[in-house]
Amino acid sequence: MEEFPSRGDSVSSINSYFDESLYLPPQRAQRIGVSRNQITYRPPTFSQLVADELVPRRNEYKYIALASDSDEIRLLVLHSGQYEDKIECSLMTVPSTDRKLHYEALSYHWGVEEPTKEIWIRSFKGNFQGKAVKNIRSFHNLAHHVKPQKFYIRPNLYAALSQLCGPKRELVLWIDALCINQDNQQEKNMQILKMAEIYSRAYNVCIWLGEGSKQSDMAIDFLPKILNLSQFDILINDQEMLKHWTALADLTRSTWSSRRWVVQEIAYAKEATLHCGHGTIHWADFADAVTFVRCAPADELCRKWSDERGGQRCDYKASQP
């Protein structure tokens, strides 16, 4: 075995040792034919940086400006497709005062992630009052004569659009992140003032809690059972139902309920449906079920839930809808 140079050796001998150590493989490696490796640095390409989320995506789609002195808003037509298909949609400019507008509004949590999910948008500006807006088939035929352009959105909104999109249906939606040009501060200020009107005129508000799980599916399937008051006491005292109560408690703590805009969006809604993954339930049923839990003498339920969670406090009151 080769010895390391001693303290008394000259500087040149020490340098010679390190030079040889750096460029020559050890003797055992030489015997088994291991060759010298040379590492060449190649800087990443722009496409690699984008794929690794090290640089922001570049949107191809450019908004058509809204008239600053008008009551115009944009509505998004989510075109039909399968869950795995790329998302295609169209933005159309319409007067918010048109009483014949027929659309849904989306209520959801933006999330903190960067816009990394790709969708494709077409854009229109014209007279789509009344009949034209409601006749989605006619609008769909017109839309496909316009080339779609790439646009990036956040993952939670992408999941919502993927889930709401159906193979045989097209939806007209108002979504703040898409129907408002987020890069135009003047437009944002004007459109925010219209939000109460927008939500109150939507025929339904879609509440998106996020991508589903076995827990959330269990909670949504459990809600109708809670509304059957004749079975309520049985459900509370049945040890087998504890996992269902736990799933419900988790559902009521979704990040959606932490948004400060929630009260306004729900207060102005004519109707509302709650969506979590594949599960859907009417908002009134969800609110009633949680209210029953809060009003019921559920001390024993909370004690069992706390034991299940290692002493964590059970507080349905804090998570009421």
Side-chain angles (χ1 to χ4, degrees), residues 110-131:
W110 276 42
V112 298
E113 301 87 356
E114 291 296 316
T116 58
K117 296 296 185 178
E118 179 182 290
I119 65 172
W120 297 84
I121 302 178
R122 299 175 176 89
S123 190
F124 294 89
K125 186 172 184 178
N127 184 12
F128 287 97
Q129 295 183 359
K131 183 178 179 180

Side-chain angles (χ1 to χ4, degrees), residues 260-291:
R260 63 188 179 95
W261 292 104
V262 165
V263 175
Q264 173 179 299
E265 292 167 357
I266 293 301
Y268 286 109
K270 296 176 182 176
E271 297 286 340
T273 49
L274 186 144
H275 304 259
C276 187
H278 298 287
T280 303
I281 192 170
H282 197 282
W283 168 255
D285 290 339
F286 175 75
D288 287 346
V290 175
T291 299

